[in-house]
Amino acid sequence: MAPESALIVQTGNDSESDAMEAVAAGGQDYLIKGRFDGDGLFRAIRYAYSRKQLENRFRKVNQDLEAALRELKQVQADRIRMERLQAVERVSRGIAHDINNALTPIVASADYLSTLAATERWGGRSREMLLGIKESAQVVASVVSRLRAFYQPSAGENEGTTFDVGTVMDHLQHEVSSGWI
């Protein structure tokens, strides 16, 4: 039987409980044999048809709601993934910024010391250490570049910093003379 068809159960038992069980199993109405006339049959058909229409509408609404719920869950999952990526992007930006800020004086100091070393003819262990500092700084700068590539700064975003080279050099000279380096 097609699921959209109405079912009327006719029972030979005089028990309404048996008839109600049949309705509970999928029938829309019931008739007890010998206890109905034309009007009763017409009423049963009309009620069964109406109940089946309602049942079909409820089934359709339920399917639509289930589909909407699945779509909502997918949209929610997508939104959560997007928010997590945005959080990772913000963290990456912060990390790249902090590392870059810490790296700038290291690179500048290493460059300055390289210039001093070349004029004063440094050699041996001091020159090796200086080269090690510069190489390590380049590795860290590469990590910062990869972080920046991850979050892909938008056009127009300030990626560089403007500074006065003279002030930086004065600061570095002070740090070198104070024994910091």
Side-chain angles (χ1 to χ4, degrees):
M1 173 179 294
E4 55 278 338
S5 299
L7 176 66
I8 299 173
V9 177
Q10 181 179 358
T11 178
N13 296 337
D14 199 12
S15 166
E16 281 197 31
S17 64
D18 288 345
M20 293 303 290
E21 280 181 41
V23 169
Q28 279 67 48
D29 207 344
Y30 68 93
L31 296 170
I32 299 175
K33 196 182 280 188
R35 292 183 62 197
F36 66 90
D37 56 11
D39 288 338
L41 178 60
F42 180 73
R43 178 201 53 82
I45 292 170
R46 188 176 66 225
Y47 287 167
Y49 180 75
S50 295
R51 287 184 189 121
K52 190 60 179 182
Q53 282 185 323
L54 283 174
E55 183 181 307
N56 288 338
R57 276 190 239 150
F58 286 145
R59 183 180 301 112
K60 173 69 173 118
V61 167
N62 191 43
Q63 289 169 349
D64 292 347
L65 287 173
E66 286 174 351
L69 180 61
R70 282 190 301 274
E71 184 179 341
L72 179 63
K73 285 181 179 181
Q74 183 61 48
V75 167
Q76 183 181 31
D78 291 345
R79 178 69 182 182
I80 289 169
R81 275 192 293 280
M82 185 176 65
E83 287 176 1
R84 285 181 181 162
L85 277 175
Q86 288 172 344
V88 168
E89 178 185 335
R90 283 190 302 276
V91 168
S92 296
R93 285 176 187 261
I95 290 171
H97 179 77
D98 290 348
I99 290 173
N100 207 38
N101 283 347
L103 186 61
T104 299
I106 294 169
V107 170
S109 297
D111 287 343
Y112 178 72
L113 290 175
S114 291
T115 304
L116 283 179
T119 60
E120 296 179 12
R121 304 209 188 286
W122 284 7
R125 182 77 177 130
S126 297
R127 188 158 186 83
E128 287 175 26
M129 289 173 66
L130 183 57
L131 288 174
I133 290 171
K134 287 179 81 171
E135 287 173 9
S136 295
Q138 288 171 348
V139 168
V140 174
S142 172
V143 169
V144 170
S145 292
R146 288 194 305 266
L147 276 172
R148 283 189 172 154
F150 168 74
Y151 64 75
Q152 300 172 352
S154 58
E157 186 173 81
N158 184 9
E159 291 190 43
T161 303
T162 304
F163 56 89
D164 179 16
V165 175
T167 304
V168 171
M169 293 309 291
D170 290 342
H171 176 71
L172 287 174
Q173 257 184 328
H174 170 61
E175 294 297 335
V176 169
S177 65
S178 69
W180 179 74
I181 299 180

